Amino acid sequence: MSDGPTYGFDTLQIHAGARPDPATGARQTPIYQSTAYVFRDADHAAALFNLQEVGYIYSRLTNPTVAVLQERLATLEGGVGAVCCSSGHAAQIMALFPLMSPGKNVVASTRLYGGTVTQFSQTIKRFGWSAKFVDFDDLDALRDAIDDDTRAVFCESVANPGGYVTDIRAVADVSDAAGIPLIVDNTSATPYLCQPIAHGATLVVHSTTKYLTGNGTVTGGCIVDSGQFDWSASDKFPSLSAPEPAYHGLKFHETFGNLAFTFHGIAIGLRDLGMTMNPQAAHYTLMGVETLSLRMQRHVENAQKVAAWLEADPRVDYVTYAGLPSSPYAERAKRCYPKGTGGLFTVALKGGYDACVKLVDSLEIFSHVANLGDTRSLVIHSASTTHRQLTAEQQQAAGAGPNVVRISIGIEDADDLIRDLDQALTKAGG
Ligand SMILES: *Cc1c(COP(=O)(O)O)cnc(C)c1O
């Protein structure tokens, strides 16, 4: 089928990017388990390597199964192109890589997945990059943090570990005025609940490991390009606007127009960093994406019920879920995320650290794992696990203090989840 804006989300999540296999007629997208692709002749090979013709060379760069997922995610996010890679963290490095160079910085929200805080505050220093963390509700602070060396602004739409939602439009207005691309991690919201590009984002990154795959089988990541940023408007992005020595002097923006970032991601990012998604992973994620809207509706419905029940329980101190009327972000959530704010939230127990650990050990349906966005309900005590490497201040800023448990609500029966939490809270002795 041709993917037009005339089709709705539910149709596109099943059909975008795919068609019956031209070789066999197979209706489902085959897993092209091949490392390399035969060139028609030497001229064809040369044209492919020169990026004069688009086609398959080697699966570190492109693979037909992965390509279907790329086109599907680009379509669902309203972007012009996408590059898939091996994990969400790989996607973040791949998104920054064309923009950054030694001495440059990214201005990032304080409310981020714990692993991203560590990646940005520690690991990227090895590349000579740095990050400044700012409260993105304070737009003046954001404006002040952007300096001459800033090359990206980074936030999450619905932030992990839950309870905070970003006003992407307000942030995009600041980054636009500064001429800096805005990168939004849309992992927890998914394009069903939020399309950051429609709110002004330049690039969208995903951990496809989570809701997009949805069944806890494979890790993966994706970068979707809006195609709307003018890389040549300043001299800040020479890898895209000027002759790129790593590709015999090719000017990506001049040559590929609004697909410059996507081509760069494949021709340089995947070629030289090698963080490639394998076709098996793409297959599992394609299977997941087919039911994304149905699952997200149930995740939201269940999370609303469970969060409201927990909030009313005397053993509970507070619940941070942007979908609750008591949330300080309730108005913003309704305005910017009208279909709901996902399945992720945190709950603080009056019994503190000890009660959290006992709760996690006493739950029967919920699994204690370092994952989220699965069909099954998951729980984790962030302070002793995912956010362990953070300072006490960073933990608090990220909403992951010692008295807090993060819950990823699955698509089981909400009543069963509530009964399970009830018995575990009793055992936790709050
Ligand atoms: C899990 C996660 C990541 C990292 O993704 P991986 O696939 O685990 O590398 C990044 N951002 C958010 C919001 C996440 O939930």
Side-chain angles (χ1 to χ4, degrees):
M1 77 176 237
S2 61
D3 319 321
T6 47
Y7 293 111
F9 192 95
D10 290 359
T11 306
L12 294 171
Q13 72 185 356
I14 295 169
H15 291 287
R19 61 199 167 108
D21 181 45
T24 62
R27 177 60 273 205
Q28 189 49 275
T29 299
I31 304 170
Y32 285 94
Q33 199 66 61
S34 183
T35 305
Y37 307 85
V38 178
F39 306 122
R40 289 195 302 273
D41 52 33
D43 284 346
H44 178 221
L48 290 175
F49 275 95
N50 274 337
L51 301 178
Q52 286 156 341
E53 194 177 318
V54 177
Y56 298 102
I57 299 175
Y58 185 64
S59 282
R60 173 157 33 81
L61 308 171
T62 46
N63 169 280
T65 312
V66 177
V68 172
L69 179 62
Q70 288 173 162
E71 192 172 333
R72 188 160 308 167
L73 295 179
T75 304
L76 294 178
E77 286 286 5
V80 294
V83 179
C84 283
C85 53
S86 53
S87 71
H89 269 1
Q92 292 170 188
I93 294 296
M94 291 265 302
L96 291 175
F97 187 67
L99 313 175
M100 304 285 276
S101 57
K104 306 307 178 204
N105 68 68
V106 49
V107 174
S109 168
T110 47
R111 295 162 179 107
L112 295 177
Y113 175 66
T116 305
V117 176
T118 308
Q119 188 188 54
F120 282 10
S121 61
Q122 302 299 330
T123 302
I124 64 171
K125 283 197 234 165
R126 303 284 189 98
F127 305 142
W129 310 346
S130 61
K132 302 189 204 180
F133 294 95
V134 181
D135 177 354
F136 273 33
D137 281 347
D138 185 345
L139 296 175
D140 289 329
L142 171 58
R143 216 171 275 121
D144 290 347
I146 297 174
D147 63 27
D148 287 346
D149 289 324
T150 301
R151 292 294 177 271
V153 172
F154 188 100
C155 64
E156 295 176 10
S157 47
V158 169
N160 185 335
Y164 180 80
V165 290
T166 303
D167 184 341
I168 297 172
R169 181 77 261 169
V171 171
D173 286 344
V174 175
S175 61
D176 275 357
I180 299 298
L182 170 63
I183 306 173
V184 176
D185 181 341
N186 200 32
T187 299
S188 306
T190 82
Y192 178 69
L193 297 178
C194 174
Q195 292 172 314
I197 289 170
H199 297 272
T202 309
L203 302 168
V204 176
V205 293
H206 276 284
S207 167
T208 60
T209 314
K210 312 292 171 51
Y211 291 104
L212 292 178
T213 302
N215 46 45
T217 47
V218 287
T219 63
C222 187
I223 308 111
V224 180
D225 180 15
S226 65
Q228 280 163 19
F229 195 87
D230 182 358
W231 304 110
S232 307
S234 74
D235 57 5
K236 289 187 172 172
F237 306 101
S239 191
L240 290 154
S241 64
E244 172 48 79
Y247 219 96
H248 51 71
L250 186 72
K251 291 184 178 177
F252 278 85
H253 194 204
E254 190 179 288
T255 309
F256 300 110
N258 68 357
L259 282 168
F261 198 92
T262 302
F263 271 89
H264 193 287
I266 294 166
I268 296 191
L270 290 180
R271 187 196 65 181
D272 296 345
L273 299 176
M275 302 163 162
T276 306
M277 176 180 276
N278 68 73
Q280 284 281 344
H283 167 74
Y284 286 115
T285 304
L286 280 166
M287 295 302 94
V289 170
E290 291 191 349
T291 58
L292 180 65
S293 64
L294 306 177
R295 287 184 289 108
M296 292 315 292
Q297 284 161 22
R298 178 63 85 89
H299 281 296
V300 167
E301 195 185 308
N302 279 359
Q304 282 290 150
K305 282 187 198 159
V306 176
W309 180 84
L310 279 169
E311 186 174 51
D313 192 281
R315 296 163 292 193
V316 167
D317 192 2
Y318 59 86
V319 177
T320 57
Y321 183 56
L324 289 174
S326 60
S327 165
Y329 300 104
E331 178 278 326
R332 181 184 298 175
K334 277 215 181 73
R335 180 164 47 85
C336 306
Y337 302 82
K339 288 187 199 158
T341 60
L344 208 59
F345 60 82
T346 61
V347 51
L349 300 188
K350 287 184 181 152
Y353 187 100
D354 291 342
C356 288
V357 171
K358 276 192 211 142
L359 175 89
V360 165
D361 282 342
S362 307
L363 285 163
E364 286 166 13
I365 298 175
F366 287 79
S367 306
H368 184 199
V369 297
N371 191 20
L372 60 97
D374 198 331
T375 49
R376 65 214 88 234
S377 290
L378 311 174
V379 65
I380 197 160
H381 184 225
S382 304
S384 60
T385 55
T386 51
H387 289 60
R388 196 183 182 90
Q389 271 90 33
L390 273 54
T391 63
E393 295 74 44
Q394 284 176 321
Q395 286 182 354
Q396 287 297 348
N403 57 332
V404 165
V405 169
R406 183 189 76 194
I407 294 184
S408 172
I409 293 292
I411 59 173
E412 302 100 331
D413 282 293
D415 290 344
D416 291 338
L417 300 179
I418 288 171
R419 262 196 299 278
D420 194 24
L421 285 162
D422 192 22
Q423 66 79 22
L425 279 168
T426 302
K427 287 192 184 129

